[in-house]
Amino acid sequence: MASPWRIRSFASPLLICIAVVLITYNAILFSTNARLHSDLSTSSLHFHRTLSVSHSHKPRLFHTAVTASDSVYNTWQCRVMYYWFKKARETRVGSDMGGFTRILHSGKPDSFMGEIPTFVAQPLPDGTDQGYIVLNRPWAFVQWLQKANIPEEYILMAEPDHIIVKPIPNLSVDGQAAAFPFFYIEPQKYEPVLRKFFPEDRGPINTIDPIGNSPVIIEKKSLGKIAPTWMNISLAMKKDTDADKSFGWVLEMYAYAVASALHGVRSILHKNFMIQPPWDLEVGDKFIIHYTYGCDYTMEGKLTYGKIGEWRFDKRSYDNSPPPRNLPLPPKSVPESVVTLVTMVNEATANIPNWESSW
């Protein structure tokens, strides 16, 4: 049997030396650029097109996958996320939601395996992530895709701090993925750096979509090709001083966008995929609430972002212990998106068994 550390690129194998992790961006370019034979169309016809999906045909089920560590911080978010996943899937109306997996990259089972369907992945070797734990995400996906039995033909990559507001249809179309456009993923702005990983002969810089890996709905076979390249480019970018400085905490997102472009997988951009309170004020027709930002307000309902408010909800406040049940709701005049977020967290914690006693 081949070693689990044998990572396959799109066209031929690439061995990663675990002991010293001697991956450089030149090696990545050799494996992902020189050997790729994908169709990189320069057309931007579908770049900003949002398509509605008809459900008169047989559902195209997708499997929802969330990577996580075994920290209390990640675990309580996963428990809340899975609660709302199940609620959304139960309705089945307008949904293509199939199975669910928490990809736990701690290397060992935890006490929540019976509550949340879980695949245990091995973490990167000590020191490889250089304190940037998100580098474990692409490697965890590589292992899951290679070893797990995934019956669905599509994958939704999500995150622990996602709350599913309503059933999600399969938004991907004709081999194109469906993704959320992030305003801070700016390939044109960082073209000189990105050209180290996406040379000019691969196409114009806007071939790289302004996306991360989540939320993304993508064909399983496409993700199977992208994931090893995504991992290799993530590691190479982290070792590259310019890339590490330019991309910071979103480095792995840029790596995914580049890997997708190298494999010729474009994304239909769906702004209605999710909202991010407190900046997005209403839930509206969105599918996911992403609570990555802190929500701080005065008791009069005025946002005090960057300054701890009289009322606040910030996931980082619950780094070492989960949020208690029945969090106080926001003051009047606080946007509906924030009210909905806290209300949904409260419902989940009220109904998840042993919420306050199982940590």
Side-chain angles (χ1 to χ4, degrees):
M1 177 180 292
S3 165
W5 289 100
R6 185 177 178 84
I7 307 303
R8 294 176 299 198
S9 66
F10 183 65
S12 61
L14 172 65
L15 292 177
I16 297 180
C17 179
I18 298 308
V20 293
V21 196
L22 296 176
I23 293 183
T24 66
Y25 69 84
N26 287 326
I28 300 305
L29 289 178
F30 180 71
S31 71
T32 61
N33 295 343
R35 301 184 184 182
L36 285 177
H37 301 287
S38 52
D39 179 19
L40 292 176
S41 171
T42 59
S43 170
S44 59
L45 177 63
H46 303 292
F47 192 69
H48 292 290
R49 186 173 67 174
T50 300
L51 301 180
S52 60
V53 179
S54 171
H55 291 275
S56 59
H57 61 280
K58 183 179 179 180
R60 298 177 302 138
L61 297 181
F62 59 79
H63 194 102
T64 300
V66 179
T67 59
S69 71
D70 60 357
S71 67
V72 171
Y73 177 71
N74 261 185
T75 302
W76 71 256
Q77 293 173 43
C78 284
R79 296 180 79 188
V80 171
M81 198 275 186
Y82 185 55
Y83 173 87
W84 284 108
F85 166 86
K86 291 187 294 182
K87 294 275 285 189
R89 189 179 61 177
E90 283 171 3
T91 69
R92 290 292 186 187
V93 178
S95 168
D96 292 308
M97 299 170 68
F100 182 99
T101 299
R102 175 184 61 148
I103 307 175
L104 184 66
H105 53 70
S106 62
K108 59 183 184 299
D110 66 3
S111 58
F112 298 96
M113 304 283 287
E115 178 180 326
I116 308 172
T118 299
F119 172 89
V120 177
Q122 296 303 310
L124 290 168
D126 289 345
T128 305
D129 63 21
Q130 300 179 56
Y132 181 54
I133 194 172
V134 184
L135 285 182
N136 284 282
R137 179 179 294 158
W139 171 226
F141 267 107
V142 167
Q143 295 173 73
W144 178 63
L145 289 163
Q146 289 182 348
K147 297 179 180 180
N149 178 22
I150 309 164
E152 298 87 353
E153 295 303 318
Y154 297 85
I155 306 296
L156 165 61
M157 292 185 285
E159 296 186 12
D161 60 352
H162 286 178
I163 290 181
I164 298 175
V165 180
K166 65 179 184 179
I168 304 174
N170 190 336
L171 300 170
S172 66
V173 176
D174 297 333
Q176 296 180 96
F180 178 80
F182 289 92
F183 72 89
Y184 49 78
I185 301 298
E186 303 175 277
Q188 287 85 351
K189 179 178 178 180
Y190 295 106
E191 180 169 1
V193 178
L194 289 172
R195 286 303 186 188
K196 297 181 180 183
F197 312 95
F198 190 79
E200 291 187 6
D201 63 1
R202 305 309 302 176
I205 202 68
N206 65 4
T207 304
I208 302 173
D209 290 329
I211 63 171
N213 82 290
S214 174
V216 168
I217 299 176
I218 186 171
E219 290 181 335
K220 180 174 62 179
K221 63 182 180 181
S222 294
L223 184 57
K225 297 172 183 177
I226 290 170
T229 308
W230 171 28
M231 187 195 76
N232 290 342
I233 294 177
S234 295
L235 292 171
M237 283 184 171
K238 189 62 181 175
K239 291 173 70 69
D240 183 273
T241 303
D242 292 337
D244 192 25
K245 181 179 179 180
S246 297
F247 303 145
W249 66 276
V250 297
L251 180 148
E252 165 267 342
M253 296 173 69
Y254 272 99
Y256 179 82
V258 170
S260 295
L262 287 170
H263 286 279
V265 178
R266 299 303 301 268
S267 293
I268 302 169
L269 304 182
H270 289 270
K271 290 185 177 180
N272 68 330
F273 216 147
M274 71 179 187
I275 61 168
Q276 301 185 95
W279 309 117
D280 296 309
L281 306 182
E282 297 179 351
V283 175
D285 62 351
K286 313 305 189 293
F287 297 102
I288 293 170
I289 296 176
H290 182 208
Y291 53 100
T292 190
Y293 299 107
C295 301
D296 289 273
Y297 292 88
T298 66
M299 295 310 293
E300 289 72 41
K302 181 180 178 181
L303 180 66
T304 63
Y305 190 78
K307 178 182 177 181
I308 294 178
E310 297 173 279
W311 180 94
R312 75 180 327 227
F313 176 79
D314 187 336
K315 64 178 183 178
R316 296 161 192 83
S317 299
Y318 307 103
D319 191 13
N320 298 312
S321 61
R325 285 174 165 163
N326 198 28
L327 290 167
L329 292 177
K332 291 182 179 180
S333 301
V334 168
E336 177 229 6
S337 61
V338 179
V339 176
T340 301
L341 166 60
V342 178
T343 300
M344 294 184 79
V345 169
N346 279 345
E347 178 179 330
T349 61
N351 288 283
I352 295 173
N354 304 313
W355 176 258
E356 294 177 324
S357 62
S358 56
W359 304 93

